Amino acid sequence: MDTAQQQQGESAIGTIAEVHGPVVDIACRQLPPLHRALWTALDSETYRFEVYQHLDERHVRAITLHRTTGLQRGMPVFDTGDSLQVPVSTECLGRLVNVFGEPLDAGPPLARGEYRDVLQKPIPLHKTVGVTGILETGIKVIDLLCPFIKGGKTGLFGGAGIGKTVLITEFMHAIVALHHGVSVFAGVGERIREGHELWHEMQQAGVMPQTLMVFGQMDESPGVRFRVGLTALTYAEYLRDTLRKEVLFLIDNVFRFVQAGSEISGLLGRMPATVGYQPTLMTEVAELQDRITSSTHGAITSVQAVYVPADDMTDPAVNSILSHLDTVVILTRSQASQGIYPAVDPLQSTNKLMDRHFLGDQHYTTAERVREHLARYRELEDIITMLGIEELSQADRRIVLRARKLQRYLTQPFHVTAELTGIRGVSVPLATTLQDCDAFLSGQYDDVPEERCYMRGSMRET
């Protein structure tokens, strides 16, 4: 139904009274409920709003989900009859869409047979399924030291230029190749350059046919950036319930979601709370995180990139996100500067379920021994720099040499970078990684040069 037909079949519920940037005050004959989606027409285009406040018995305050250029007082506003909804179908895979489910890839519109509410409630508690085990990615350092939990949430903390996007893309490849699952990517406040590059990288890597990308770009309204994560999550829930597959849900960047919420809070005139964040920070993060659940139909495993302001892990936004995560993966520039890719810090990265009962004896014991060797090597680095490795005891020297080989062994060429590096990507099963690490720790590879451990798959490969 086009805009003219909609206007003929509906009567306006009110008119625009004031426009303040992305904030629109609407004079209504009958007040719509909070979070109701409203719309108006401008030059044959539909402009949508979301109601956030009831100012008095006749006025509501809404946030526009478009640019406000061209809006003016007196324009009629219509009620959609519901909150923001998006069209869902299995045809969404392989597509690039916006917060409304409209195509951004110059392709045909999605089939409009079924709509889902982006603000729908989480599935009931009695229908949820707890974590069921490890989700193998084929990435050695991740599977060994901070494994993904099937149906869990992982936070990926890293700055610019140290391989965060490459790692996210490799996770998508792993879900498609190893688990025959699907991926949903939410670009929250993405720069258009980053989104364009990621889209083409995934096409070249061959994972796009099993991937849906939802973008709310950095130059769009804060209302779009605040809702695009929920739109992507709505598609992830639909794919979980209909395809009954493993769904990998990726968000880049959760901090921009918090920033959009803070911007909206300020526009609505709310008093800021700690460090200037919105007073509803914890609630808004929880509304997003609590919907990332697994049911009897399938599992949603989430990987979320998180920016840390000024590297301060005590920041209220970071703390509110951390409280929901099962796994924390820290990418550091010091690892990247040594050529260690993926640049995962093995000592800072953690998992809440790293215990013997969940991982099993072999995995737990091997991971702890590897971590002990790497920790001891880090303690001795300054001594080695000043005095040389010859001044260490025989036992410490043996630990250092094995730790250096383990550090290089945990590097890995990725499938998604094969065209750029010329090195064929590898995927290593967890069982093979454990066997190789046990062999390093027992001294079987003491005579192998360090360079032969670097950027390869299993040590058993020729």
Side-chain angles (χ1 to χ4, degrees):
M1 184 182 294
D2 60 27
T3 303
Q5 290 174 322
Q6 283 180 313
Q7 285 180 296
Q8 290 173 4
E10 300 179 27
S11 60
I13 66 162
T15 58
I16 294 178
E18 293 184 31
V19 180
H20 303 279
V23 177
V24 176
D25 290 351
I26 302 169
C28 302
R29 289 192 294 272
Q30 181 179 357
L31 289 183
L34 293 179
H35 302 299
R36 176 64 61 88
L38 310 177
W39 66 275
T40 189
L42 177 66
D43 297 331
S44 75
E45 292 187 17
T46 300
Y47 279 55
R48 299 175 183 87
F49 316 105
E50 182 178 355
V51 177
Y52 275 89
Q53 277 183 344
H54 287 177
L55 300 178
D56 55 39
E57 63 274 10
R58 289 201 60 237
H59 292 82
V60 298
R61 178 163 289 169
I63 299 293
T64 179
L65 301 177
H66 300 267
R67 290 186 176 92
T68 53
T69 305
L71 294 182
Q72 54 187 312
R73 289 180 176 179
M75 293 180 66
V77 177
F78 302 87
D79 190 352
T80 64
D82 215 326
S83 52
L84 183 63
Q85 295 189 333
V86 291
V88 293
S89 74
T90 53
E91 296 175 4
C92 65
L93 291 175
R95 301 301 303 275
L96 179 68
V97 300
N98 64 10
V99 69
F100 309 112
E102 299 168 345
L104 295 174
D105 54 8
L110 298 182
R112 297 182 178 273
E114 181 183 350
Y115 283 80
R116 283 206 175 191
D117 191 338
V118 301
L119 299 179
Q120 61 189 354
K121 296 179 180 178
I123 58 177
L125 190 60
H126 67 275
K127 292 184 179 180
T128 60
V129 175
V131 295
T132 56
I134 291 174
L135 184 69
E136 288 193 33
T137 64
I139 302 172
K140 293 179 287 189
V141 65
I142 297 288
D143 290 344
L144 176 67
L145 298 176
C146 45
F148 284 10
I149 307 301
K150 189 180 294 185
K153 306 180 186 76
T154 297
L156 189 63
F157 296 78
I162 57 176
K164 180 176 59 179
T165 300
V166 171
L167 195 53
I168 284 179
T169 314
E170 187 72 8
F171 293 151
M172 294 182 182
H173 185 279
I175 286 292
V176 173
L178 301 180
H179 303 281
H180 306 290
V182 296
S183 300
V184 177
F185 178 87
V188 182
E190 283 284 292
R191 300 174 182 89
I192 191 167
R193 171 187 58 80
E194 294 174 337
H196 185 269
E197 290 175 357
L198 182 60
W199 181 38
H200 284 283
E201 282 172 6
M202 288 198 295
Q203 288 177 320
Q204 293 168 3
V207 301
M208 197 62 204
Q210 295 299 313
T211 301
L212 167 67
M213 301 182 71
V214 185
F215 277 104
Q217 298 173 28
M218 186 173 283
D219 65 333
E220 295 191 78
S221 160
V224 170
R225 288 180 271 121
F226 190 58
R227 292 305 186 205
V228 67
L230 294 179
T231 295
L233 184 51
T234 302
Y235 280 108
E237 291 170 333
Y238 172 78
L239 295 172
R240 174 197 66 195
D241 298 337
T242 55
L243 299 184
R244 298 172 182 260
K245 286 187 175 184
E246 291 285 348
V247 179
L248 181 65
F249 177 57
L250 303 110
I251 311 177
D252 187 10
N253 187 305
V254 183
F255 186 76
R256 293 189 191 129
F257 163 78
V258 172
Q259 282 182 313
S262 180
E263 193 172 338
I264 288 174
S265 182
L267 290 169
L268 297 177
R270 294 175 185 153
M271 184 70 70
T274 311
V275 199
Y277 287 110
Q278 61 270 42
T280 53
L281 171 65
M282 299 292 286
T283 302
E284 292 170 358
V285 171
E287 284 176 351
L288 175 69
Q289 300 288 352
D290 285 355
R291 280 178 57 185
I292 305 175
T293 54
S294 300
S295 69
T296 52
H297 295 152
I300 296 180
T301 303
S302 173
V303 179
Q304 308 171 20
V306 184
Y307 168 72
V308 182
D311 295 327
D312 180 13
M313 293 295 289
T314 64
D315 184 86
V318 175
N319 269 330
S320 65
I321 297 166
L322 274 172
S323 62
H324 294 274
L325 301 178
D326 302 303
T327 305
V328 176
V329 179
I330 309 290
L331 302 180
T332 61
R333 205 164 298 280
S334 61
Q335 293 285 99
S337 65
Q338 299 177 55
I340 306 298
Y341 288 102
V344 176
D345 189 308
L347 303 182
Q348 293 187 59
S349 302
T350 60
N351 185 312
K352 289 182 179 178
L353 296 177
M354 283 290 286
D355 61 57
R356 197 179 300 274
H357 302 289
F358 185 77
L359 299 180
D361 284 337
Q362 183 191 12
H363 187 172
Y364 178 80
T365 303
T366 302
E368 287 302 299
R369 291 186 65 200
V370 167
R371 212 184 292 268
E372 287 170 5
H373 276 63
L374 295 173
R376 183 59 178 161
Y377 171 45
R378 187 165 294 183
E379 290 174 3
L380 296 170
E381 276 185 319
D382 289 341
I383 296 176
I384 294 171
T385 301
M386 291 185 293
L387 303 177
I389 195 171
E390 296 78 11
E391 298 301 317
L392 300 180
S393 66
Q394 191 66 32
D396 280 344
R397 194 182 309 174
R398 184 167 58 247
I399 288 174
V400 166
L401 293 175
R402 290 176 182 174
R404 287 176 60 87
K405 290 175 183 176
L406 280 167
Q407 188 181 52
R408 283 150 181 76
Y409 169 74
L410 293 177
T411 62
Q412 186 169 338
F414 285 163
H415 295 88
V416 297
T417 59
E419 290 188 6
L420 299 175
T421 62
I423 305 175
R424 181 176 59 88
V426 294
S427 180
V428 184
L430 175 59
T432 303
T433 302
L434 294 177
Q435 291 173 5
D436 285 345
C437 289
D438 284 339
F440 276 110
L441 295 169
S442 63
Q444 293 183 31
Y445 295 121
D446 282 357
D447 296 330
V448 176
E450 289 180 5
E451 57 269 18
R452 285 188 56 192
C453 305
Y454 181 70
M455 280 293 171
R456 61 178 298 166
S458 169
M459 292 299 292
R460 290 164 174 76
E461 297 176 358
T462 56

